[in-house]
């Protein structure tokens, strides 16, 4: 796991990929300009075929100007889909003008329209790709009718029939449609794969973080277990001392200390249980309503917490300490956000258990809403803040559920937990 955190991270964001594709298009345009100039000069001066050289060279210079403008604009901001489309439309227009000046659809270089179509299918959004197919098909069709004929010497002279030109146009349009249909689908699949791999890498990093916290918590629980056990024995002896029994106030304080030590031991047992370690206790079975009710009723804080139970029937579940802690974290977060009233709603949506925690606090800042479930993203300044939602999200993920958060229009926030009943139920004799 160390390799994941120590390896240098490369920028694989969509903006970076778009910028790199934009620069590849610039390089390809430089090659196109060089190829056009070389071809024009070779045909005119080596093959001695009359061409409007000056006009055609000026058209190639338009691409040079476009590339220079693109390089200047690229340094200032990330190119957009519309800018890429505009650049390819200019390329198609310049190619159409070059072909118009050199024989139209009878020019064998008319198939270069397919290059623009392929580039559009790879670089552009789907609607833009199909627009480029329509533009190149219309340009091809126009060049079969309107073009500047080139007087060829007898050795090169030939005449293409109208049916042949129509078939060439139809062949081009069919190829362009098939290319865009399949290339856009392939590109979409590749983008989905990259997004899935990015999510898996993020999850691996988060799980490594959870493992580290679990090891620290488990180690702390083991270390604290011994002194707490010693305190429990000592307090048990003190409560039987005559001097303490003679002082009711002192005896009450000792009993309070024994209660708090027992509570600390219970918390440590919960930590070890959540970490997957055997504590000598069998997994407890409990009613779902009692499970939720104990969590809400046992919470002590400055806010008033109410429970709205909309479950039509009860069910027996295995006590899940991790889920209980996740719910407590959500209530704690609401109280720390300034909430005075916290509403916990429980209901069923088909095969899902839905728990909504709604409060009248300050709500989530926009920067937090965009990073729900990520560690150390919090509006609180203290060290370690932001782990509550992170841990709750990952608890829900291990149970096959999800966690969503939103701000309410009238103030406050709502966090929704959804998880399958199958992850909690232990028998089918108590339908929900």
């Amino acid at each position: 796991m160390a390799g994941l955190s120590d390896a240098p991270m490369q920028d694989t964001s969509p903006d970076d990929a778009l910028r790199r594709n934009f620069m590849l298009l610039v390089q390809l345009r430089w090659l196109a300009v060089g190829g056009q100039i070389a071809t024009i000069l070779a045909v005119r001066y080596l093959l001695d075929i009359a061409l409007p050289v000056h006009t055609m060279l000026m058209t190639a210079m338009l691409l040079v100007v476009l590339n220079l403008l693109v390089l200047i604009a690229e340094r200032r901001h990330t190119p957009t889909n519309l800018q890429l489309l505009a650049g390819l439309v200019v390329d198609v227009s310049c190619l159409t003008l070059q072909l118009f000046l050199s024989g139209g659809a009878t020019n064998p270089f008319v198939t270069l329209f397919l290059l623009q179509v392929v580039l559009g299918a790879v670089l552009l959004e789907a609607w833009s790709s199909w627009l480029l197919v329509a533009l190149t098909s219309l340009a091809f069709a126009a060049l079969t009718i309107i073009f500047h004929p080139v007087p060829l010497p007898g050795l090169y002279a030939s005449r293409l029939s109208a049916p042949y030109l129509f078939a060439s146009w139809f062949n081009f349009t069919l190829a362009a449609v098939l290319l865009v249909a399949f290339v856009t689908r392939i590109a979409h699949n590749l983008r989905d794969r990259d997004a899935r791999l990015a999510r898996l890498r993020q999850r691996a990093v988060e799980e490594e973080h959870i493992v580290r916290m679990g090891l620290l918590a488990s180690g702390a629980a083991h270390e604290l277990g011994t002194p707490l056990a010693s305190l429990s024995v000592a307090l048990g002896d003190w409560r039987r001392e005559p001097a303490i029994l003679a002082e009711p106030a002192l005896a009450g304080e000792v009993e309070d200390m024994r209660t708090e030590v027992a509570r600390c031991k219970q918390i440590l047992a919960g930590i070890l249980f959540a970490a997957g370690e055997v504590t000598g206790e069998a997994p407890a079975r409990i009613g779902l309503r009692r499970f939720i009710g104990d969590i809400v009723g046992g919470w002590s804080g400055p806010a008033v917490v109410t429970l709205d139970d909309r479950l039509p029937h009860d069910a027996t579940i295995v006590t899940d300490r991790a889920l209980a802690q996740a719910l407590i974290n959500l209530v704690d977060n609401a109280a720390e956000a300034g909430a005075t009233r916290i509403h916990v709603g429980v209901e069923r949506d088909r095969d899902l258990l839905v728990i909504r925690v709604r409060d009248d606090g300050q709500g989530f800042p926009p920067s937090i809403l965009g990073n729900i479930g990520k560690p150390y993203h919090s509006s609180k300044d203290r060290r370690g803040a932001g782990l509550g939602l992170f841990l709750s999200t990952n608890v829900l993920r291990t149970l096959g559920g999800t966690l969503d958060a939103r701000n309410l229009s009238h103030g406050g926030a709502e966090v929704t937990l959804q998880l399958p009943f199958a992850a909690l139920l232990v028998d089918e004799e108590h339908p929900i």
Side-chain angles (χ1 to χ4, degrees):
M1 299 298 290
L4 285 172
S5 58
D6 299 337
M9 297 296 290
Q10 295 180 350
D11 189 359
T12 57
S13 63
D15 286 348
D16 179 70
L18 189 61
R19 181 178 285 107
R20 287 186 281 113
N21 288 336
F22 204 53
M23 296 310 299
L24 288 176
L25 182 58
V26 169
Q27 296 174 15
L28 183 60
R29 192 173 289 125
W30 287 127
L31 293 175
V33 170
Q36 288 183 22
I37 293 175
T39 303
I40 292 168
L41 295 179
V43 170
R44 177 63 187 90
Y45 297 108
L46 293 181
L47 301 180
D48 197 24
I49 297 176
L51 291 175
V53 175
H54 296 293
T55 305
M56 297 182 75
L57 291 179
M58 290 299 295
T59 303
M61 289 301 104
L62 287 177
L63 295 178
V64 174
V65 173
L66 173 63
N67 251 11
L68 294 176
L69 293 176
V70 164
L71 289 173
I72 295 174
E74 189 273 337
R75 296 177 181 176
R76 298 181 179 178
H77 56 82
T78 302
T80 63
N81 178 74
L82 286 177
Q83 290 173 331
L84 282 171
L85 175 61
L88 287 173
V89 168
V90 173
D91 291 336
V92 170
S93 301
C94 289
L95 179 58
T96 302
L97 180 57
Q98 298 283 38
L99 293 171
F100 168 78
L101 297 172
S102 56
T106 63
N107 189 322
F109 287 103
V110 71
T111 55
L112 285 176
F113 278 134
L114 278 179
L115 177 61
Q116 311 300 330
V117 171
V118 172
L119 289 174
V122 173
L123 300 177
L124 301 177
E125 297 176 5
W127 69 268
S128 307
S129 302
W130 289 112
L131 177 60
L132 206 60
V133 169
L135 291 176
T136 53
S137 182
L138 288 174
F140 195 121
L143 289 172
T144 62
I145 304 172
I146 307 170
F147 58 89
H148 186 278
V150 177
L152 297 174
L155 182 62
Y156 308 111
S158 64
R159 185 177 182 277
L160 300 178
S161 64
Y164 178 85
L165 291 177
F166 174 79
S168 298
W169 168 81
F170 183 79
N171 176 65
F172 166 80
T173 303
L174 179 62
V177 169
L178 293 176
L179 276 172
V180 170
F182 284 95
V183 171
T184 52
R185 185 175 300 177
I186 292 171
H188 177 73
N189 292 338
L190 291 175
R191 285 193 293 269
D192 284 348
R193 183 203 64 183
D194 292 342
R196 185 166 59 253
L197 289 175
R199 289 194 297 270
L200 289 175
R201 285 195 294 268
Q202 180 64 27
R203 180 172 296 186
V205 172
E206 292 177 356
E207 289 177 353
E208 178 191 11
H209 193 83
I210 293 172
V211 168
R212 290 178 176 177
M213 289 192 299
L215 290 174
L216 290 174
S218 179
H222 281 295
E223 293 293 332
L224 290 173
T226 300
L228 284 176
S230 301
L231 283 174
S232 180
V233 172
L235 290 172
D237 293 338
W238 286 3
R239 65 184 301 204
R240 290 187 291 271
E241 289 289 332
I244 293 178
L245 292 175
E247 297 286 342
L250 187 58
E253 291 180 0
V254 170
E255 188 63 29
D256 289 341
M257 286 190 288
R258 287 187 69 254
T259 301
E260 294 302 321
V261 169
R263 182 165 177 260
C264 290
K265 292 175 66 178
Q266 183 180 8
I267 292 172
L268 293 182
I271 293 174
L272 293 174
F273 182 87
E277 300 192 25
V278 178
T279 59
E281 300 180 12
R285 298 188 178 193
I286 190 173
L288 178 59
R289 282 178 167 156
R290 181 182 171 186
F291 175 71
I292 302 294
D294 288 348
I295 295 172
V296 174
W299 185 82
S300 58
V304 177
V305 183
T306 57
L307 175 63
D308 181 14
D309 184 353
R310 297 187 180 183
L311 295 174
H313 302 284
D314 200 0
T316 302
I317 67 171
V318 174
T319 303
D320 194 316
R321 297 175 186 260
L323 178 59
Q325 188 59 50
L327 292 174
I328 293 173
N329 287 342
L330 296 181
V331 177
D332 287 342
N333 282 345
E336 292 179 1
T340 58
R341 301 189 66 84
I342 302 172
H343 177 84
V344 179
V346 185
E347 61 185 79
R348 176 176 184 173
D349 183 8
R350 298 181 182 178
D351 295 330
L352 295 176
L353 173 66
V354 181
I355 303 175
R356 291 186 172 89
V357 180
R358 181 179 299 180
D359 64 75
D360 60 354
Q362 301 174 357
F364 294 99
S367 59
I368 304 301
L369 274 179
N371 293 283
I372 289 293
K374 296 182 180 179
Y376 304 123
H377 284 274
S378 173
S379 58
K380 301 184 282 290
D381 295 330
R382 71 174 186 271
R383 185 178 181 86
L387 288 177
L389 281 175
F390 170 66
L391 293 174
S392 299
T393 300
N394 282 277
V395 167
L396 266 293
R397 181 187 296 167
T398 59
L399 295 173
T402 59
L403 182 148
D404 297 306
R406 68 185 182 96
N407 288 328
L408 302 175
S409 59
H410 56 274
E414 181 183 76
V415 179
T416 303
L417 286 72
Q418 295 184 350
L419 66 156
F421 275 110
L424 299 174
L425 296 179
V426 295
D427 60 57
E428 299 296 333
E429 298 178 1
H430 302 80
I432 292 291

